[in-house]
Coordinates of all heavy atoms in Angstrom, one line a residue:
Chain A
I41 N 75.5 112.7 115.2 CA 75.1 111.4 115.7 C 76.3 110.8 116.5 O 77.4 110.6 115.9 CB 74.7 110.3 114.7 CG1 73.5 110.9 113.8 CG2 74.3 109.0 115.3 CD1 73.1 110.0 112.7
T42 N 76.1 110.6 117.8 CA 77.2 110.1 118.6 C 76.6 109.1 119.6 O 75.5 108.7 119.5 CB 78.0 111.2 119.2 OG1 79.2 110.6 119.9 CG2 77.2 112.0 120.3
T43 N 77.5 108.7 120.6 CA 77.0 107.8 121.6 C 77.0 108.4 123.0 O 77.7 109.4 123.2 CB 78.0 106.6 121.7 OG1 79.2 107.0 122.3 CG2 78.3 106.0 120.3
N46 N 80.6 108.7 124.3 CA 81.4 109.8 123.7 C 81.0 111.1 124.3 O 81.8 112.0 124.6 CB 81.3 109.8 122.2 CG 82.1 108.7 121.5 OD1 83.2 108.3 122.0 ND2 81.6 108.2 120.4
R49 N 82.2 111.6 127.8 CA 83.7 111.8 127.9 C 84.1 113.1 127.2 O 85.3 113.4 127.1 CB 84.4 110.7 127.2 CG 84.3 109.4 128.0 CD 84.9 108.2 127.3 NE 84.5 106.9 127.9 CZ 85.2 106.4 128.9 NH1 86.3 107.0 129.4 NH2 84.9 105.2 129.4
Y51 N 84.1 113.6 123.9 CA 84.7 113.3 122.6 C 83.8 114.0 121.6 O 82.6 113.7 121.5 CB 84.8 111.8 122.3 CG 85.8 111.1 123.2 CD1 85.7 109.7 123.4 CD2 86.9 111.7 123.9 CE1 86.6 109.0 124.2 CE2 87.7 111.1 124.7 CZ 87.6 109.7 124.8 OH 88.5 109.0 125.6
A52 N 84.4 114.8 120.7 CA 83.7 115.6 119.8 C 83.2 115.0 118.5 O 82.3 115.4 117.9 CB 84.5 116.9 119.5
A53 N 83.8 113.9 118.1 CA 83.5 113.3 116.8 C 82.1 112.6 116.8 O 81.7 112.1 117.9 CB 84.6 112.3 116.4
G54 N 81.5 112.5 115.7 CA 80.3 111.8 115.5 C 80.4 110.8 114.4 O 81.3 110.9 113.6
V55 N 79.5 109.9 114.3 CA 79.5 109.0 113.1 C 78.9 109.8 111.9 O 79.2 109.6 110.8 CB 78.7 107.7 113.3 CG1 79.4 106.7 114.2 CG2 77.3 107.9 113.7
V56 N 78.1 110.8 112.3 CA 77.7 111.8 111.3 C 77.9 113.2 112.0 O 77.6 113.3 113.1 CB 76.2 111.7 110.9 CG1 75.8 112.8 110.0 CG2 75.9 110.3 110.2
Y57 N 78.5 114.1 111.2 CA 78.8 115.4 111.8 C 78.6 116.4 110.7 O 79.3 116.5 109.7 CB 80.3 115.4 112.3 CG 80.7 116.7 113.0 CD1 80.7 116.7 114.4 CD2 81.0 117.8 112.3 CE1 81.1 117.8 115.1 CE2 81.4 119.0 113.0 CZ 81.4 119.0 114.4 OH 81.8 120.1 115.1
D59 N 77.9 120.6 110.2 CA 77.8 122.0 110.8 C 77.2 123.0 109.8 O 77.3 124.2 110.0 CB 79.2 122.4 111.3 CG 80.2 122.6 110.2 OD1 79.9 122.4 109.0 OD2 81.4 122.8 110.6
S60 N 76.5 122.5 108.8 CA 75.7 123.4 107.9 C 74.6 122.6 107.3 O 74.6 121.4 107.2 CB 76.6 123.9 106.8 OG 77.0 122.9 105.9
A62 N 73.9 122.7 104.3 CA 74.4 122.2 103.1 C 75.0 120.8 103.2 O 74.9 120.0 102.4 CB 75.5 123.2 102.5
M63 N 75.6 120.6 104.4 CA 76.2 119.3 104.6 C 75.1 118.2 104.8 O 75.3 117.0 104.4 CB 77.1 119.3 105.9 CG 78.5 119.9 105.7 SD 79.6 119.7 107.1 CE 80.1 118.0 107.0
D66 N 74.2 117.3 101.4 CA 75.2 116.5 100.8 C 75.0 115.0 101.3 O 75.2 114.1 100.5 CB 76.6 117.0 101.1 CG 76.9 118.3 100.4 OD1 76.3 118.5 99.3 OD2 77.8 119.0 100.9
R67 N 74.7 114.9 102.5 CA 74.4 113.5 103.1 C 73.3 112.8 102.2 O 73.4 111.7 101.8 CB 73.8 113.6 104.4 CG 74.6 113.4 105.6 CD 74.9 112.0 106.0 NE 76.3 111.9 106.5 CZ 77.0 110.8 106.6 NH1 76.6 109.6 106.2 NH2 78.2 110.9 107.0
S69 N 72.3 113.7 99.1 CA 72.7 113.4 97.7 C 73.7 112.2 97.6 O 73.6 111.4 96.7 CB 73.3 114.6 96.9 OG 73.6 115.6 97.8
A70 N 74.5 112.1 98.7 CA 75.4 110.9 98.7 C 74.6 109.6 98.8 O 74.9 108.7 98.1 CB 76.4 111.1 99.8
L71 N 73.6 109.6 99.6 CA 72.8 108.4 99.8 C 72.1 108.1 98.5 O 71.9 106.9 98.1 CB 71.8 108.6 100.9 CG 72.4 108.7 102.3 CD1 71.3 108.8 103.4 CD2 73.3 107.5 102.6
Q73 N 72.9 109.2 95.4 CA 73.6 109.0 94.1 C 74.9 108.2 94.3 O 75.5 107.7 93.3 CB 74.0 110.4 93.6 CG 72.8 111.3 93.3 CD 73.3 112.6 92.7 OE1 74.0 112.7 91.8 NE2 72.8 113.7 93.3
A74 N 75.4 108.1 95.5 CA 76.8 107.5 95.6 C 76.8 106.2 96.4 O 77.3 105.2 95.9 CB 77.7 108.5 96.2
N75 N 76.3 106.3 97.6 CA 76.5 105.2 98.5 C 75.7 103.9 98.1 O 74.6 104.0 97.6 CB 76.2 105.6 100.0 CG 77.3 106.6 100.5 OD1 76.9 107.7 100.8 ND2 78.5 106.2 100.4
I76 N 76.3 102.8 98.4 CA 75.8 101.5 98.1 C 75.4 100.8 99.5 O 76.2 100.7 100.3 CB 76.8 100.6 97.5 CG1 77.5 101.3 96.3 CG2 76.2 99.2 97.0 CD1 76.6 101.7 95.2
Y77 N 74.1 100.5 99.6 CA 73.7 99.8 100.8 C 72.4 99.1 100.5 O 71.7 99.5 99.5 CB 73.5 100.7 102.0 CG 72.6 101.9 101.8 CD1 71.3 101.9 102.2 CD2 73.1 103.1 101.1 CE1 70.4 103.0 102.0 CE2 72.2 104.1 100.9 CZ 70.9 104.1 101.3 OH 70.1 105.1 101.1
E78 N 72.1 98.1 101.2 CA 70.8 97.3 100.9 C 69.6 98.2 101.3 O 69.6 98.9 102.3 CB 70.8 96.0 101.8 CG 71.2 94.8 101.0 CD 71.2 93.6 101.9 OE1 71.8 93.6 103.0 OE2 70.6 92.6 101.5
R112 N 65.4 94.8 103.5 CA 64.6 94.5 102.3 C 64.0 93.1 102.4 O 62.9 92.8 101.8 CB 65.4 94.6 101.0 CG 66.5 93.6 100.8 CD 67.2 93.8 99.5 NE 68.3 92.9 99.4 CZ 68.3 91.7 98.9 NH1 67.2 91.2 98.4 NH2 69.5 91.0 98.9
S148 N 77.1 102.0 121.9 CA 78.2 102.4 121.1 C 78.3 101.6 119.8 O 79.2 101.8 119.1 CB 79.5 102.2 121.9 OG 79.5 102.9 123.1
R149 N 77.3 100.7 119.6 CA 77.4 99.8 118.5 C 76.4 100.3 117.4 O 75.3 100.6 117.7 CB 77.1 98.4 118.9 CG 78.1 97.8 119.9 CD 77.5 96.6 120.6 NE 77.4 95.4 119.8 CZ 78.4 94.6 119.5 NH1 79.6 94.8 120.1 NH2 78.3 93.6 118.8
F150 N 77.0 100.3 116.2 CA 76.1 100.7 115.0 C 76.2 99.5 114.0 O 77.3 99.2 113.4 CB 76.7 101.9 114.3 CG 76.5 103.1 115.2 CD1 77.5 103.5 116.1 CD2 75.3 103.9 115.1 CE1 77.3 104.6 116.9 CE2 75.1 105.0 115.9 CZ 76.1 105.4 116.8
D151 N 75.1 98.7 114.0 CA 75.1 97.5 113.2 C 75.3 97.7 111.7 O 74.5 98.4 111.1 CB 73.9 96.7 113.5 CG 73.8 95.4 112.8 OD1 74.7 94.5 113.1 OD2 73.0 95.2 111.8
T152 N 76.3 97.1 111.2 CA 76.6 97.0 109.7 C 77.0 98.4 109.1 O 78.1 98.6 108.7 CB 75.5 96.3 108.9 OG1 75.2 95.1 109.5 CG2 76.0 96.1 107.5
L153 N 76.0 99.2 109.1 CA 76.2 100.6 108.6 C 75.1 101.5 109.0 O 74.0 101.0 109.2 CB 76.5 100.6 107.1 CG 75.4 100.1 106.2 CD1 74.3 101.0 105.9 CD2 76.1 99.8 104.8
L154 N 75.3 102.8 109.0 CA 74.2 103.7 109.2 C 74.2 104.6 108.0 O 75.1 105.4 107.7 CB 74.6 104.6 110.5 CG 73.5 105.6 110.9 CD1 73.6 105.7 112.5 CD2 73.6 106.9 110.3
A155 N 73.1 104.3 107.2 CA 73.0 105.1 105.9 C 72.0 106.2 106.1 O 72.3 107.4 105.9 CB 72.6 104.1 104.8
Chain B
S102 N 87.0 100.9 130.6 CA 88.3 101.6 131.0 C 88.1 102.2 132.3 O 87.0 102.2 132.9 CB 88.6 102.7 130.0 OG 87.5 103.7 130.0
V194 N 92.3 111.0 121.6 CA 91.1 110.3 121.2 C 90.0 111.4 121.0 O 89.8 112.2 121.9 CB 90.7 109.2 122.2 CG1 89.3 108.6 121.8 CG2 91.8 108.2 122.2
I195 N 89.3 111.3 119.9 CA 88.1 112.3 119.7 C 86.8 111.5 119.5 O 85.8 112.2 119.4 CB 88.4 113.3 118.6 CG1 88.6 112.6 117.2 CG2 89.6 114.2 118.9 CD1 88.6 113.6 116.1
G196 N 86.8 110.2 119.5 CA 85.6 109.4 119.4 C 85.9 108.0 119.3 O 86.9 107.6 118.8
R197 N 84.9 107.2 119.8 CA 85.0 105.7 119.7 C 83.7 105.1 119.2 O 82.6 105.5 119.8 CB 85.3 105.1 121.0 CG 86.7 105.3 121.6 CD 86.8 104.5 122.9 NE 87.8 105.1 123.7 CZ 89.1 104.8 123.5 NH1 89.5 104.0 122.6 NH2 90.0 105.3 124.3
F198 N 83.7 104.2 118.3 CA 82.5 103.6 117.8 C 82.8 102.1 117.6 O 83.9 101.8 117.2 CB 82.0 104.2 116.6 CG 81.7 105.7 116.7 CD1 82.7 106.6 116.3 CD2 80.6 106.2 117.3 CE1 82.5 108.0 116.5 CE2 80.4 107.5 117.5 CZ 81.4 108.5 117.1
V199 N 81.8 101.3 117.8 CA 81.9 99.8 117.4 C 80.9 99.5 116.3 O 79.8 99.9 116.4 CB 81.6 99.0 118.7 CG1 81.8 97.5 118.3 CG2 82.6 99.3 119.8
Q200 N 81.4 98.8 115.3 CA 80.6 98.5 114.2 C 80.6 97.0 114.0 O 81.5 96.4 113.5 CB 81.2 99.1 112.9 CG 80.4 99.0 111.7 CD 81.0 99.7 110.5 OE1 82.2 100.1 110.5 NE2 80.3 99.9 109.4
P201 N 79.5 96.3 114.5 CA 79.4 94.9 114.3 C 79.1 94.6 112.8 O 78.3 95.2 112.2 CB 78.1 94.5 115.1 CG 77.8 95.7 116.0 CD 78.3 96.9 115.2
L202 N 79.9 93.7 112.2 CA 79.8 93.3 110.8 C 79.3 91.9 110.7 O 79.8 91.0 111.4 CB 81.1 93.5 110.1 CG 81.7 95.0 110.1 CD1 83.0 95.0 109.4 CD2 80.7 96.0 109.6
P203 N 78.4 91.6 109.7 CA 77.9 90.3 109.5 C 78.7 89.4 108.7 O 78.3 88.7 107.7 CB 76.5 90.5 108.9 CG 76.8 91.7 108.0 CD 77.8 92.6 108.7
L222 N 83.9 100.4 94.3 CA 82.8 100.2 95.2 C 82.3 101.6 95.7 O 81.2 101.9 95.9 CB 83.2 99.3 96.4 CG 82.1 99.1 97.5 CD1 80.9 98.5 96.9 CD2 82.7 98.3 98.6
L224 N 81.7 105.2 95.3 CA 81.5 106.2 94.3 C 82.0 107.6 94.8 O 82.5 108.4 94.1 CB 80.0 106.3 93.9 CG 79.6 107.5 93.0 CD1 80.4 107.5 91.7 CD2 78.1 107.4 92.8
F225 N 81.8 107.8 96.1 CA 82.2 109.0 96.7 C 83.7 109.3 96.5 O 84.1 110.4 96.0 CB 81.9 109.0 98.2 CG 81.8 110.4 98.8 CD1 80.6 111.0 98.9 CD2 82.9 111.0 99.4 CE1 80.5 112.3 99.4 CE2 82.9 112.2 100.0 CZ 81.7 112.9 100.0
R270 N 80.5 102.5 86.7 CA 79.4 103.2 87.5 C 80.0 104.3 88.4 O 79.3 105.3 88.7 CB 78.8 102.1 88.4 CG 77.7 102.6 89.4 CD 77.2 101.5 90.3 NE 78.3 100.9 91.0 CZ 78.8 101.4 92.1 NH1 78.4 102.6 92.6 NH2 79.8 100.8 92.8
N273 N 80.7 109.6 88.2 CA 79.5 110.3 88.1 C 79.9 111.8 88.2 O 79.9 112.3 89.3 CB 78.5 109.9 89.1 CG 77.2 110.6 89.0 OD1 77.1 111.6 88.3 ND2 76.2 110.1 89.7
S275 N 78.4 114.4 87.6 CA 77.3 115.4 88.0 C 77.2 115.6 89.5 O 76.6 116.4 90.0 CB 76.0 114.9 87.5 OG 75.6 113.8 88.1
F276 N 77.9 114.7 90.3 CA 77.8 114.7 91.7 C 78.7 115.8 92.3 O 79.9 115.6 92.2 CB 78.1 113.3 92.2 CG 77.9 113.2 93.7 CD1 76.9 113.9 94.3 CD2 78.6 112.2 94.4 CE1 76.7 113.7 95.7 CE2 78.4 112.1 95.8 CZ 77.4 112.8 96.4
L278 N 79.3 118.6 95.8 CA 78.9 118.9 97.1 C 78.4 120.3 97.3 O 79.0 121.2 96.7 CB 80.1 118.6 98.1 CG 80.5 117.2 98.3 CD1 81.6 117.1 99.4 CD2 79.3 116.3 98.7
A279 N 77.4 120.5 98.1 CA 76.9 121.8 98.4 C 77.8 122.5 99.4 O 78.0 123.7 99.3 CB 75.5 121.7 98.9
D280 N 78.4 121.7 100.2 CA 79.4 122.2 101.2 C 80.7 121.5 101.0 O 81.0 120.5 101.6 CB 78.9 122.0 102.6 CG 79.8 122.7 103.7 OD1 81.0 123.0 103.3 OD2 79.4 122.9 104.8
D328 N 83.4 92.4 115.3 CA 83.2 93.7 115.7 C 84.4 94.5 115.2 O 85.5 94.1 115.4 CB 83.1 93.9 117.2 CG 81.8 93.3 117.8 OD1 80.8 93.2 117.0 OD2 81.8 93.1 119.0
Y333 N 88.7 107.3 116.7 CA 89.0 108.5 115.9 C 90.1 109.3 116.7 O 89.9 109.5 117.9 CB 87.8 109.3 115.6 CG 86.7 108.7 114.8 CD1 86.7 107.4 114.4 CD2 85.6 109.5 114.3 CE1 85.7 106.9 113.7 CE2 84.6 109.0 113.6 CZ 84.6 107.7 113.2 OH 83.6 107.2 112.5
L348 N 86.8 116.9 112.3 CA 85.4 116.5 112.7 C 84.6 116.5 111.4 O 83.8 115.6 111.2 CB 84.9 117.5 113.7 CG 85.5 117.5 115.1 CD1 84.9 118.5 116.0 CD2 85.4 116.1 115.7
K349 N 84.8 117.4 110.5 CA 84.0 117.4 109.3 C 84.4 116.2 108.4 O 83.5 115.5 107.9 CB 84.3 118.7 108.5 CG 83.4 119.9 108.8 CD 83.7 121.1 107.9 CE 82.5 121.3 106.9 NZ 81.9 122.6 107.0
S351 N 85.5 113.5 109.3 CA 85.1 112.2 109.9 C 83.9 111.6 109.3 O 83.6 110.4 109.4 CB 85.0 112.3 111.4 OG 83.9 113.1 111.8
N352 N 83.1 112.4 108.5 CA 82.0 111.9 107.8 C 82.4 110.9 106.7 O 81.6 110.2 106.1 CB 81.2 113.1 107.1 CG 80.4 113.9 108.1 OD1 79.4 113.4 108.5 ND2 80.9 115.1 108.4
P356 N 81.0 103.9 110.6 CA 79.7 103.2 110.2 C 78.9 104.0 109.2 O 78.1 103.4 108.4 CB 79.0 102.9 111.5 CG 80.0 103.1 112.6 CD 81.0 104.0 112.1
A357 N 79.0 105.3 109.2 CA 78.1 106.1 108.3 C 79.0 106.9 107.3 O 78.6 107.9 106.7 CB 77.3 107.1 109.1
F359 N 81.0 108.3 104.2 CA 80.8 108.3 102.8 C 81.6 107.4 102.0 O 81.2 106.9 101.0 CB 81.0 109.8 102.3 CG 80.0 110.8 102.7 CD1 80.4 112.0 103.2 CD2 78.6 110.5 102.6 CE1 79.4 112.9 103.6 CE2 77.7 111.4 103.0 CZ 78.1 112.7 103.5
M362 N 81.1 103.3 104.4 CA 79.8 102.7 104.6 C 79.7 101.3 103.9 O 79.3 100.3 104.5 CB 78.8 103.7 104.1 CG 77.4 103.3 104.3 SD 76.2 104.4 103.6 CE 76.7 106.0 104.3
E363 N 80.2 101.3 102.6 CA 80.0 100.1 101.8 C 80.8 99.0 102.4 O 80.5 97.8 102.2 CB 80.4 100.4 100.4 CG 79.4 101.3 99.6 CD 79.7 102.8 99.7 OE1 80.8 103.1 100.3 OE2 79.0 103.6 99.1
G365 N 81.1 98.2 105.3 CA 80.3 97.5 106.3 C 79.4 96.4 105.8 O 79.2 95.5 106.5
C366 N 78.9 96.6 104.6 CA 78.0 95.6 104.1 C 78.6 94.6 103.1 O 78.0 93.5 103.0 CB 76.7 96.3 103.5 SG 77.1 97.4 102.1
F370 N 77.8 90.5 102.1 CA 77.3 90.1 100.8 C 78.1 88.8 100.4 O 77.6 87.9 99.8 CB 77.5 91.1 99.7 CG 76.7 92.4 99.9 CD1 77.0 93.6 99.3 CD2 75.6 92.4 100.8 CE1 76.2 94.7 99.5 CE2 74.9 93.6 101.1 CZ 75.2 94.7 100.4
R373 N 77.0 85.8 102.6 CA 75.7 85.3 102.2 C 75.8 84.6 100.8 O 75.2 83.6 100.6 CB 74.7 86.4 102.2 CG 74.2 86.7 103.7 CD 73.8 88.1 103.9 NE 72.7 88.5 103.0 CZ 72.3 89.8 102.9 NH1 72.9 90.8 103.5 NH2 71.3 90.1 102.1

Side-chain angles (χ1 to χ4, degrees):
Chain A
I41 302 178
T42 187
T43 71
N46 284 327
R49 292 173 191 275
Y51 292 158
V55 291
V56 174
Y57 185 100
D59 61 7
S60 68
M63 282 187 80
D66 289 337
R67 260 282 145 197
S69 17
L71 292 184
Q73 301 183 53
N75 290 121
I76 310 298
Y77 55 98
E78 257 178 314
R112 70 175 171 94
S148 298
R149 297 164 70 84
F150 294 88
D151 181 64
T152 310
L153 56 79
L154 186 149
Chain B
S102 65
V194 173
I195 60 171
R197 288 182 201 281
F198 304 98
V199 180
Q200 188 180 11
L202 301 181
L222 176 64
L224 173 57
F225 200 89
R270 176 185 60 78
N273 184 346
S275 66
F276 187 30
L278 290 184
D280 185 343
D328 288 342
Y333 294 11
L348 293 175
K349 270 185 110 123
S351 66
N352 285 288
F359 287 135
M362 184 184 304
E363 290 91 0
C366 59
F370 297 164
R373 282 148 62 190

